[in-house]
Structures are given as structure tokens and as C-alpha cells.
Amino acid sequence: MGKPTGFLEIDRKLAPKRAVSERVNDYKEIELLNSTEDTEAQASRCMDCGTPFCHNGCPLGNIIPEFNDAVYEQNWKYAYDILSTTNNFPEFTGRICPAPCESSCVLGINKPAVAIELIEKSIIEKAYSEGWVIPYVPKVRTDKKIAIIGSGPAGLAAAAQLNKAGHLVTVYERADQIGGLLRYGIPDFKLDKSVVTRRVEIMKKEGIIFITNSNVGMKDKLANLTNNFDAVLVATGSTTPRVISVKGNDALGIYPAMEFLSQQNKRNASINIELNHKGEKYGNTNIHAGGKHVVIIGGGDTGSDCVGTSNRHRAASITQIEVMPKPPVDRASNTPWPNWPNMLRTSTSHDEGVERLWSISLQEFIKNDKGELEGLLIGDIIYNMKDGKMEQEVINTRKIPCDLALVAAGFVHTDHDSLFDQLLSVGVKSDERGNLVANSSYQSDNEKVFIAGDARRGQSLVVWAISEGREAARNIDLFLMGKTSLEGKSVSSFDLLAK
Ligand SMILES: Cc1cc2nc3c(=O)[nH]c(=O)nc-3n(C[C@H](O)[C@H](O)[C@H](O)COP(=O)(O)OP(=O)(O)OC[C@H]3O[C@@H](n4cnc5c(N)ncnc54)[C@H](O)[C@@H]3O)c2cc1C
Ligand code: SF4
């Protein structure tokens, strides 16, 4: 470890953000980078704790203390080499990971945690600017061919790893662009799409074949892939939205958050919005919040992305409602360190302006006589103890104005479409939630078909999708070759403690 007293001398310093007054006028990224000197100082706060719990907090097992030390020692190339052994895409996680590693940082017990995510982003951006990120073309090719369905972070991570092992990889994507939710879903102000394109271009040079506008199940049949490839990886995500079953939910003016968000990604890229993120025609081709009273149903991250986008559209008002009670401002006692804390999260989008309401019951979508949405009937949920049981009561029922309702109430399962039916017909199983089932080797009940990412675990995080893609790739390599030299998740502190 470079500086034993770094954590005593230096305070946590995050990168500057563009001012709200400036950033709401465009869709450019909000967060900037610290200077090289500041980042090296931040890395010196990593305190050689002995048992780095951050290591286990990161689903990729990123080797955090080692890359922090290399940055502090100004050996950025070595830091990049360490980081890239466990993470194919630090430029994505360094921007949009909620950083569970920081919640389990040992320094975080009594001081602000090491700024791990920012250091990760700084390493990869330095690597790009120095020309260290170059295509890896395998010296030896095997004769194995692998088809990957879906080009989100799970599919991309698996493609990169399997290509590295020498296999010929073809990625099928139903949308017109590669990237899954990184491309269509996550707003540009959190992740600029040039960052996704920059990586995909490198992957193409590595020999990976990408086929867009190709809905497997519809255009290309699953059987074509299972017959012509040695293995098939299904990484189709989980974007079927939860439907709000209350009176009036057929009103004009209610849309799933994904349709709203992905349209804005397309507008920013000057892509026609006639087809949605699935490559299908959607009922209304222009979902815009400009001048509207917007209510976002759901208090999570997708809802927060709708807040930021609605502010950029110049909505007349923005309200975000959530059925759950307001979380505590600090870590709740039922999620002690090093767990991911239950606590109030205020995003950069919230900072730009929104009214957040908690413990709200949505009772009805109110329509005018043309069937258009004009308001929501909501009430406050309170809890009463009755005969030893907690009972829910709705009080203070009231109407709030709303002519655009965006449903961000979560995703129920992977799409139950033609591909899903074809997968079931070749022996792949689905679980009780409606996602696809694979064993601990990511292999389904059809030995040639593997599953990874949200399609298997349900809507989750980019870092988990990358982790699943890498693990699935390792198991596919093992299945095809009988051995593998692809890296698995690095050994975690918890694993070491268990030994
Ligand atoms: C609005 C929003 C914001 C989010 N923000 C964050 C965030 O800030 N940080 C974070 O960590 N996570 C975030 N997430 C979650 C994260 O994006 C997902 O967990 C992650 O993208 C899942 O990766 P995946 O590869 O499994 O699936 P996806 O990214 O969903 O990719 C699946 C791909 O498969 C394609 N596909 C589906 N069916 C077919 C078919 N039949 N044929 C061909 N292609 C098909 C889809 O078009 C899609 O491109 C967000 C999610 C949403 C919805
Ligand atoms: S990928 Fe996420 S959890 Fe892992 S080190 Fe980076 S910020 Fe932390």
C-alpha cells in the first residue's frame, strides 16, 4: 500500500457535476472527471484494511485495493491491466454502477468510503486516451461457433470473453443498435452513447460479428441457431413492464417508462422513433413531457431517469409517487455494513427538480370524456395495528393533475414472445417469475443453450449482467473444449474467510 496515512489526511472528493441550470438544457453527461492528481490522492485513501470487503461487494470481484495502489503509485497502465482482468467494460460500470463495493468499503465504517467507482472510470478513460485499449484478436481460432441472442451488457461481456478464447461469435440483436439497455433505456446524460459505440467498434475489430434488426424467434428461428452453432447464449434481458391494474388504466396518456426513455435515446441519436427499443411499432410515436403535468409511478432508478428526461422536455410539473414508505436518510439498522444499505437515494435527476411522494396508493386514472388522462386519484397509506396485526388504511384521497403518466413500477420478467415459446419447446424451463432457468453453470435443460443476465436473474444491474456474461462464457468454453483458461470471478474476501 502506497500511503499508510492517506485516509487520515485526505477527504473523499467526488468529481464535479455540471450545474443544474446548464445541464437541463442538453443530454450530455452530468458527471465529469477529477484531475489526475486528485484521483491519485483519492486512491491513496485505500487503507490496506487486510480483508477488503469491497472485493466481495463488487459482483465482478474487481481487485480494488490493487488498482487503487497502482493509481496512487502513478502506474496507471498497471492499474488498467488489473482492472481489465475482471471487468470487460469499466467505462460502463465507472459511470452507472450504484457501487455496492463502496457500501462495503472498510473505511466506510466510520468515514466516507473510498471513491472506487470514480477511480475505476478514471483508469479506463486514461487507458482510452493513452491508446492502451486496443482490439484483442485471438492468435489461434478454434472451430467452434457461438450465437448470442441479445447485445446488452450480458451478451457483450460473453461475446468479448468467448472471442478471447478463440471462438467465432455472432451476436443477434432485434433493435437497430447494439447495447441493450445501455443504448435504449439508460439516459444519455448518465451514459453517453458514444461510450457504447467506442467499445462496440473495438469488439468488431476483434472479430465479433453483430447482426442488428434481427429478432430471433421471429426473423431468425431459434432452430437455425441451435442447428448451426455449437452453443447458443440467451441474454435477452427482462423488460416486460408491470401493469398497474387500477380503474381507468386504458386512458390515453399512460406509457411504460421504457417507451418514453428509449424514444429520447433515439431522438438524441437522430434515429426515427417510429420503431421502439424492441424494433416494433408502438401505438403513439411521440411521447413527450413538454408542457405536461407528469406523474411517474414508481420511486426507483427508472423513475428517476424519467424525472431527468421530463425536466429536459420542460414538463409543467413532475411528481414521482412510490407505494413504499420514505427510507431513512442514513443506513437502516436492518442493513448494517457491509450490506447494501436501505436508505434514501437522491439522484442527479432528483436534484434537477421533482416532488417526491411516499406511501402513496394509486386509486384511479381519471379520464376526460375523450378518454384522455387528466388526473390521478391518490391517497396516503398509513399502517394501524389491529388485533395484533398490521393493517393498511388509505386516507386523504385526492386528485392530482396528470396528463402524462409514466409507469416505472418494475419489470416482471423476460419477454414472453415467440423466442420464449421456441425456447420452451426445446426443453428450456422458466421459473415461477417467468424468467429462464439455468443451473449454476448458466446451462439450461437443453445442454446447447445457456442463459445469462436479466433474462435469468430478473431486472438487475449492469455490473451483474457483465458478471453473468463472463461466467456463462467461461462455462460455455468449458462445455465446448473440456477446459478453459478464461478468468472466473476473483476470489473474494468472504470466500477467503470461509476457508
Ligand atoms: C431505464 C433503466 C435504467 C437503468 N439504469 C441502470 C443504472 O444506472 N445502473 C445499472 O447498473 N443498471 C441500470 N439498469 C439495469 C440494467 O440496465 C440491466 O440490468 C442490464 O442492462 C441487463 O443486461 P442484459 O444484457 O441482461 O439485458 P438488456 O440490457 O436488457 O439487453 C437485452 C438485449 O436483448 C435483446 N433481445 C431481446 N429479445 C431478443 C430477441 N428475440 N432477438 C434478438 N435480440 C433480443 C434486446 O433488444 C436487448 O438489446 C437500468 C434499467 C433500466 C430499464
Ligand atoms: S463494478 Fe461497481 S461494484 Fe464493482 S468496483 Fe466498479 S463500481 Fe464497484
Side-chain angles (χ1 to χ4, degrees):
M1 184 194 61
K3 187 162 196 194
T5 53
F7 70 100
L8 294 172
E9 294 163 18
I10 297 157
D11 290 334
R12 176 173 158 113
K13 182 180 172 195
L14 291 180
K17 296 183 180 69
R18 293 166 63 220
V20 171
S21 57
E22 178 197 316
R23 70 196 197 214
V24 291
N25 297 314
D26 61 46
Y27 291 87
K28 293 189 197 127
E29 280 186 5
I30 292 170
E31 290 183 13
L32 308 171
L33 279 174
N34 271 341
S35 68
T36 300
E37 296 70 33
D38 277 348
T39 310
E40 289 165 359
Q42 287 301 301
S44 81
R45 297 184 69 238
C46 189
M47 59 175 193
D48 198 13
C49 55
T51 306
F53 282 77
C54 56
H55 209 299
N56 191 78
C58 172
L60 288 163
N62 274 353
I63 310 165
I64 296 163
E66 276 71 11
F67 69 59
N68 280 338
D69 187 42
V71 168
Y72 171 66
E73 297 289 352
Q74 304 184 339
N75 195 346
W76 286 78
K77 173 70 170 66
Y78 185 47
Y80 167 64
D81 289 343
I82 296 168
L83 178 56
S84 51
T85 58
T86 54
N87 189 352
N88 299 80
F89 312 124
E91 64 270 45
F92 306 152
T93 47
R95 283 173 167 80
I96 55 171
C97 187
C101 55
E102 293 184 15
S103 300
S104 57
C105 169
V106 172
L107 182 55
I109 295 174
N110 63 349
K111 274 178 170 278
V114 175
I116 301 167
E117 186 185 13
L118 175 63
I119 294 167
E120 182 174 1
K121 178 180 168 190
S122 307
I123 294 170
I124 186 66
E125 289 309 319
K126 173 81 118 187
Y128 271 109
S129 66
E130 296 289 333
W132 299 330
V133 189
I134 50 169
Y136 179 87
V137 182
K139 290 196 178 67
V140 182
R141 284 275 175 202
T142 67
D143 59 352
K144 306 292 184 198
K145 294 193 298 174
I146 295 147
I148 297 180
I149 312 173
S151 69
L156 289 179
Q161 292 294 95
L162 288 164
N163 183 67
K164 192 156 105 177
H167 309 308
L168 191 61
V169 180
T170 306
V171 179
Y172 292 83
E173 170 55 55
R174 67 184 173 188
D176 55 4
Q177 300 284 318
I178 295 298
L181 291 172
L182 301 169
R183 176 80 61 181
Y184 291 141
I186 297 173
D188 297 31
F189 52 78
K190 277 167 60 181
L191 174 67
D192 194 283
K193 303 314 162 198
S194 64
V195 175
V196 183
T197 305
R198 178 176 68 177
R199 177 59 72 170
V200 172
E201 289 308 312
I202 289 177
M203 294 177 73
K204 284 181 186 166
K205 289 188 186 136
E206 289 175 331
I208 298 166
I209 300 163
F210 290 98
I211 305 179
T212 51
N213 296 308
S214 183
N215 188 328
V216 179
M218 302 277 281
K219 201 167 168 198
D220 308 276
K221 298 288 179 218
L222 177 68
N224 293 343
L225 305 191
T226 47
N227 289 337
N228 294 317
F229 289 84
D230 297 288
V232 175
L233 175 68
V234 181
T236 46
S238 170
T239 50
T240 302
R242 180 165 287 116
V243 174
I244 307 278
S245 306
V246 302
K247 191 176 165 200
N249 70 354
D250 58 346
L252 301 172
I254 307 171
Y255 299 101
M258 270 296 293
E259 299 295 339
F260 175 70
L261 294 171
S262 59
Q263 272 200 1
Q264 190 53 50
N265 299 132
K266 287 200 158 197
R267 282 191 205 99
N268 295 341
S270 305
I271 295 173
N272 195 320
I273 56 173
E274 199 187 349
L275 300 182
N276 70 1
H277 60 102
K278 296 184 179 181
E280 295 165 349
K281 280 205 169 200
Y282 191 72
N284 183 321
T285 52
N286 189 23
I287 311 168
H288 203 276
K292 301 236 168 84
H293 292 289
V294 180
V295 179
I296 295 147
I297 302 161
D301 293 343
T302 303
S304 150
D305 292 343
C306 293
V307 171
T309 305
S310 299
N311 267 315
R312 282 159 182 74
H313 284 185
R314 301 285 183 266
S317 69
I318 308 171
T319 310
Q320 188 178 13
I321 62 173
E322 166 61 45
V323 68
M324 299 298 287
K326 186 175 181 178
V329 174
D330 295 318
R331 187 190 272 272
S333 56
N334 63 351
T335 50
W337 180 91
N339 294 301
W340 175 247
N342 169 27
M343 61 186 285
L344 181 68
R345 293 191 163 78
T346 303
S347 69
T348 49
S349 292
H350 293 134
D351 287 339
E352 292 162 4
V354 59
E355 184 175 9
R356 296 172 85 181
L357 302 178
W358 305 91
S359 298
I360 294 293
S361 164
L362 172 60
Q363 309 264 293
E364 184 183 341
F365 291 100
I366 303 167
K367 307 185 252 189
N368 64 17
D369 48 17
K370 290 188 211 141
E372 295 160 339
L373 186 66
E374 63 168 33
L376 300 187
L377 193 66
I378 62 167
D380 297 318
I381 303 170
I382 58 163
Y383 296 91
N384 303 312
M385 193 63 97
K386 200 172 171 193
D387 301 331
K389 277 203 223 142
M390 195 66 94
E391 284 197 348
Q392 197 174 301
E393 189 189 345
V394 178
I395 59 163
N396 190 21
T397 307
R398 60 204 183 269
K399 178 182 169 183
I400 58 169
C402 173
D403 42 14
L404 177 63
L406 299 171
V407 181
F411 300 89
V412 281
H413 47 61
T414 194
D415 284 355
H416 288 182
D417 53 6
S418 166
L419 172 61
F420 184 80
D421 292 341
Q422 289 172 39
L423 284 163
L424 297 193
S425 75
V426 296
V428 178
K429 302 261 181 342
S430 72
D431 62 19
E432 62 285 352
R433 292 178 305 160
N435 290 313
L436 298 167
V437 176
N439 61 21
S440 56
S441 302
Y442 297 83
Q443 194 170 29
S444 75
D445 280 4
N446 180 320
E447 65 162 15
K448 254 185 140 176
V449 179
F450 291 70
I451 323 282
D454 285 2
R456 191 190 75 84
R457 62 185 294 127
Q459 183 70 226
S460 180
L461 294 173
V462 167
V463 63
W464 271 113
I466 299 173
S467 170
E468 294 228 342
R470 289 171 62 88
E471 294 296 316
R474 199 166 178 278
N475 282 290
I476 292 171
D477 192 31
L478 199 55
F479 168 68
L480 295 177
M481 309 302 288
K483 60 184 170 57
T484 181
S485 55
L486 289 176
E487 309 93 354
K489 188 178 165 179
S490 59
V491 181
S492 74
S493 358
F494 287 134
D495 296 335
L496 286 173
L497 283 176
K499 281 187 181 165

